[in-house]
Amino acid sequence: PDSAEAYLLAARLFLRRELSAEAAAEARKALETNPALPLAHQLLGEAALAKGDVPTAIQEFEAERKINPLNGVLYDRLGDAYLRNGQYAEARQALNCAVLLEPNSTGPYILLGEAFLKLNQPVQALHYLDRAVKMDPANYITHNLLAQAYRATGQVAEADREFKTVVDLQHNRAPKPAGK
């Protein structure tokens, strides 16, 4: 019960319950017990991101990268943190690593599309968002970003089609009264 792994497991459970302060405390205990424990810094980064503390999240994700450099999920989270912090070049670099390590995950493709939109490079955004929409056609966020990219490239009809898809997906997911 006093092992680094047990503290990390408790931290993960707290984070799933959206108790980020408790999760961070348990993750710190895990690191005190074993400073080289993989995933502990990542969990601290996720807890910081949940609280909106992006600089701390980046610091923790970078510490995790030194311990666990082949973890694709880590690069996805790091890219998200950089994107939220306005560090678009760093976000692209981290998210490219995520795509290489986790090619079947849509998250890095969506975030790369968002990063390219922020960088005012909608043609590049279209490439990644098209890939994400093929992987998960029911994700309204992807369609929304895709519509923005189409609009930015002057493809108004395609943008309107994607915006309509967003509305349709959100309407179809809305809870319906019983018997209807």
Side-chain angles (χ1 to χ4, degrees):
D2 293 332
S3 70
E5 292 81 4
Y7 288 125
L8 186 59
L9 176 61
R12 176 65 52 202
L13 293 173
F14 278 126
L15 192 62
R16 284 189 182 160
R17 297 276 186 198
E18 297 181 8
L19 300 168
S20 57
E22 292 84 350
E26 292 297 311
R28 280 193 279 285
K29 287 180 191 175
L31 285 170
E32 288 171 11
T33 306
N34 179 358
L37 181 66
L39 302 178
H41 284 287
Q42 181 173 332
L43 194 134
L44 282 169
E46 290 173 14
L49 210 52
K51 292 187 305 184
D53 185 356
V54 177
T56 300
I58 291 170
Q59 181 182 350
E60 292 297 342
F61 292 141
E62 289 291 353
E64 181 69 29
R65 180 166 38 183
K66 291 176 184 162
I67 295 169
N68 197 3
L70 296 178
N71 177 357
V73 174
L74 164 69
Y75 291 100
D76 176 68
R77 304 311 311 138
L78 179 60
D80 184 20
Y82 278 136
L83 191 60
R84 292 181 193 201
N85 209 40
Q87 296 174 262
Y88 305 126
E90 292 86 349
R92 283 182 36 211
Q93 186 176 13
L95 292 166
N96 281 330
C97 289
V99 165
L100 289 173
L101 294 168
E102 298 287 336
N104 296 318
S105 177
T106 58
Y109 292 101
I110 295 167
L111 291 170
L112 273 165
E114 186 176 352
F116 279 112
L117 281 173
K118 300 274 187 192
L119 289 166
N120 201 24
Q121 297 177 12
V123 174
Q124 285 291 90
L126 284 171
H127 169 74
Y128 290 103
L129 294 168
D130 278 336
R131 172 72 188 240
V133 97
K134 286 176 184 161
M135 294 168 71
D136 182 9
N139 186 328
Y140 74 89
I141 294 169
T142 309
H143 286 283
N144 187 25
L145 291 169
L146 196 53
Q148 292 174 43
Y150 278 131
R151 187 159 308 258
T153 61
Q155 299 177 63
V156 178
E158 290 83 355
D160 290 345
R161 182 191 71 229
E162 290 301 324
F163 281 129
K164 182 182 179 319
T165 301
V166 170
V167 171
D168 290 345
L169 287 171
Q170 287 181 321
H171 177 72
N172 290 337
R173 287 188 180 179
K176 303 208 179 356
K180 301 229 176 187

